[in-house]
Amino acid sequence: QGVQIGVDTYSTAYNQEFTLGTFGTSQAVMQAVDGIPYTGGGTHTGPAITAMPTQSFTAAAGHRPTVPKIAIVVTDGKSTTPV
């Protein structure tokens, strides 16, 4: 099935922008990412990392059980919450 990409954003709140397998091409993923607005707020990295396994890496979100789970965290600064 190839590579699947999902995107979650976080600031003071965690938001699942789109789930794994939503888009079938890298071009579609890039367009979707370009359309994600910057929300501002705090840098609550800890709660976001905690939420990912239960929100993004699930069968309902498109995770395939035989495929490794890989998360890349991009932040705008030092976390304001414990990580």
Side-chain angles (χ1 to χ4, degrees):
Q1 270 186 327
V3 174
Q4 293 181 315
I5 296 176
V7 171
D8 303 332
T9 58
Y10 66 95
S11 58
T12 50
Y14 172 85
N15 186 48
Q16 191 172 61
E17 298 292 340
F18 56 88
T19 59
L20 298 166
T22 299
F23 299 103
T25 67
S26 58
Q27 182 179 11
V29 170
M30 293 304 294
Q31 285 178 321
V33 169
D34 285 344
I36 298 171
Y38 177 73
T39 55
T43 306
H44 294 194
T45 310
I49 290 172
T50 301
M52 278 191 277
T54 60
Q55 301 294 316
S56 299
F57 294 134
T58 65
H63 174 66
R64 299 171 291 184
T66 59
V67 177
K69 300 172 187 175
I70 299 172
I72 299 171
V73 178
V74 178
T75 181
D76 66 350
K78 184 177 178 181
S79 181
T80 55
T81 58
V83 178

